[in-house]
Amino acid sequence: VMPTIPAMSQLSAWASGEGLSWGSRFMVPIVPFLVLSAAPVFERRFTFHVSRFTFWLIGLSGLIQILGIAINPWVFLGKLQAQFGGEFFLEKTAALYDFSTSQIAGQLRNWSVQNSDLIWWQPGYFDWLAFGVSAALVLVSGWLLWRIVWGEKEFPRAEISLAGVAMVTLAATYFLLARYAHTDTRQFGAPDGGYLTALNTAAATAPAPVITVAQYSYHLPMNYFKARVPLVGFAQRVEPLPPTAFPLLENALAAGQGRVWLATVGWQPAQPDNRAEHWLVEHAFKASDDWFADDTRLVRFGVTDDLPRVPLGVSLGDVVQLQSVVFPAKISAGEILPVALNWQAIAAPTENYSVFVQLLGADGVPLAQHDSAPQGGYRPTGGWLAGEAVTDRHGLTLPDSLSPGAYRLVAGMYNPADGVRLTAPDGTDAIELGTIRIANDE
């Protein structure tokens, strides 16, 4: 029973997609079949011969699963991967039909302390309390089950014994798992690490769906993250996103009620391989990008429905033209102001310019601002071709203290190397996008 509890959390709360894994998670689906096969024993409708066969079958199945639980399966699978090549090496004929590639045989050949996933087996990690409680659980449960099968002939005494098995098992399992979750940082990582801090920050600041891109950190939200916030997890991958990923991303934006978060580990902003972030900057409005410990980033995006397009046709130097802009006519303080700029290159730019979008007060002082390379850095101007059109989205985080009224919205481009802005034909260095009204929440 004990291995099924963490496995159940993996199957119900998080799916890593590792179809080649072998271990405790696969104990869960066989539990109902074990119960069904044991039912005749308790009801005494079959002969002892059939009952003995049932217990042998259960024992053999359990031993096979223990091989996957006790020894890290990827020790052997990694060797097969190197031998046959590719992540899906089990599709190779030799891997399927040669018994030397059997995972059962591989687990037995790699049986050693250093390859074990059992922390109490590792030198310096042996937990006498956990081992003692587990051993006592096995002995007590075995004694109670013996009373049910061979000792207690009449109910309700057998029912009392069966209830005792369940109570002892649940109590001991809960105690061990609760203690393990607070003591084992080797498997789950430090609870106060950057990744979990970022997730908790997102849940506390503005609860909204969190899209995560973390190759080997899925166990942190699975075991430590307690907030009731939807998580959409992606692994780091170079290939394009699969078709099944887009409905998940679209649903996250739809459920965000104006915002969505991205938490990623080990990846810089605008890294080409981060396909999920690239998709977000094309469909949402990036407002902030904060760093945490352990090379963790937390990115905040604004989300909105279709808005009216305002034509402009204003040039900046001989480099680009801002053809049109999209932004709401009214918004509340504290929200993310979405602004979409539709650029077209007049000639192929020779520099990588940054874009600024500012909300100005009556005195011309910026009250909210967002600066970044186009499309969050994924479309630097130095790569634009003459005549190419690029949609560039920005999110401005409005202060909660912003007073109701009308405010000017401006945008432009500048060279980040020296801060010099491109100028419009009238000599100004910022394009007037229009006026936006800040209204009280109603």
Side-chain angles (χ1 to χ4, degrees), residues 90-415:
L90 290 184
E91 296 176 0
K92 306 293 185 180
T93 303
L96 285 173
Y97 298 107
D98 186 350
F99 184 75
S100 65
T101 62
S102 164
Q103 280 190 258
I104 297 176
Q107 293 294 90
L108 291 173
R109 289 200 300 268
N110 288 278
W111 187 274
S112 65
V113 174
Q114 58 266 30
N115 292 337
S116 174
D117 274 345
L118 300 179
I119 192 168
W120 55 264
W121 195 1
Q122 302 297 326
Y125 284 97
F126 189 81
D127 190 334
W128 283 104
L129 179 60
F131 181 81
V133 171
S134 301
L137 172 62
V138 172
L139 293 175
V140 172
S141 299
W143 177 69
L144 291 173
L145 287 173
W146 178 84
R147 291 186 59 188
I148 295 173
V149 178
W150 286 283
E152 303 294 347
K153 304 299 183 181
E154 300 293 336
F155 290 92
R157 296 182 64 184
E159 290 180 328
I160 296 175
S161 298
L162 186 60
V165 172
M167 292 178 63
V168 171
T169 301
L170 290 176
T173 302
Y174 177 81
F175 168 76
L176 292 174
L177 289 179
R179 187 170 182 274
Y180 180 62
H182 290 287
T183 57
D184 181 31
T185 60
R186 190 189 71 157
Q187 173 69 23
F188 296 147
D192 56 351
Y195 184 38
L196 191 63
T197 302
L199 295 179
N200 287 327
T201 300
T205 304
V210 181
I211 297 168
T212 69
V213 184
Q215 184 74 5
Y216 299 111
S217 302
Y218 58 84
H219 47 262
L220 286 174
M222 182 174 64
N223 291 282
Y224 288 130
F225 188 54
K226 304 301 181 183
R228 300 183 65 85
V229 173
L231 294 179
V232 181
F234 292 93
Q236 295 173 349
R237 55 185 302 157
V238 178
E239 300 87 354
L241 289 173
T244 53
F246 299 110
L248 297 175
L249 292 168
E250 292 166 356
N251 290 340
L253 296 190
Q257 297 182 347
R259 59 180 58 86
V260 71
W261 297 91
L262 169 71
T264 185
V265 179
W267 283 25
Q268 298 293 322
Q271 189 160 332
D273 294 344
N274 198 338
R275 307 299 187 185
E277 183 170 2
H278 195 174
W279 188 91
L280 284 171
V281 299
E282 291 180 327
H283 295 83
F285 301 83
K286 184 177 178 179
S288 63
D289 196 332
D290 298 314
W291 286 91
F292 292 79
D294 306 322
D295 206 18
T296 301
R297 290 170 49 229
L298 180 63
V299 189
R300 186 181 183 185
F301 291 88
V303 181
T304 188
D305 297 328
D306 292 335
L307 297 171
R309 183 186 299 265
V310 179
L312 290 174
V314 180
S315 300
L316 291 177
D318 58 355
V319 180
V320 296
Q321 182 182 75
L322 183 57
Q323 292 188 314
S324 61
V325 63
V326 173
F327 65 91
K330 184 176 68 172
I331 196 171
S332 300
E335 295 185 2
I336 297 177
L337 171 60
V339 180
L341 307 172
N342 298 299
W343 303 99
Q344 185 173 33
I346 299 174
T350 58
E351 302 287 345
N352 286 324
Y353 295 98
S354 291
V355 178
F356 69 89
V357 183
Q358 297 175 341
L359 185 72
L360 305 179
D363 55 0
V365 176
L367 301 176
Q369 180 171 338
H370 187 264
D371 290 48
S372 77
Q375 284 193 10
Y378 280 98
R379 292 300 311 275
T381 57
W384 294 7
L385 302 176
E388 184 175 3
V390 175
T391 298
D392 180 27
R393 295 169 178 255
H394 297 261
L396 282 69
T397 303
L398 302 180
D400 294 330
S401 58
L402 200 59
S403 301
Y407 295 84
R408 294 165 52 209
L409 192 62
V410 300
M413 278 191 180
Y414 64 92
N415 190 332

Side-chain angles (χ1 to χ4, degrees), residues 1-17:
V1 176
M2 290 176 58
T4 68
I5 304 299
M8 192 175 299
S9 69
Q10 291 188 26
L11 289 173
S12 62
W14 193 275
S16 67

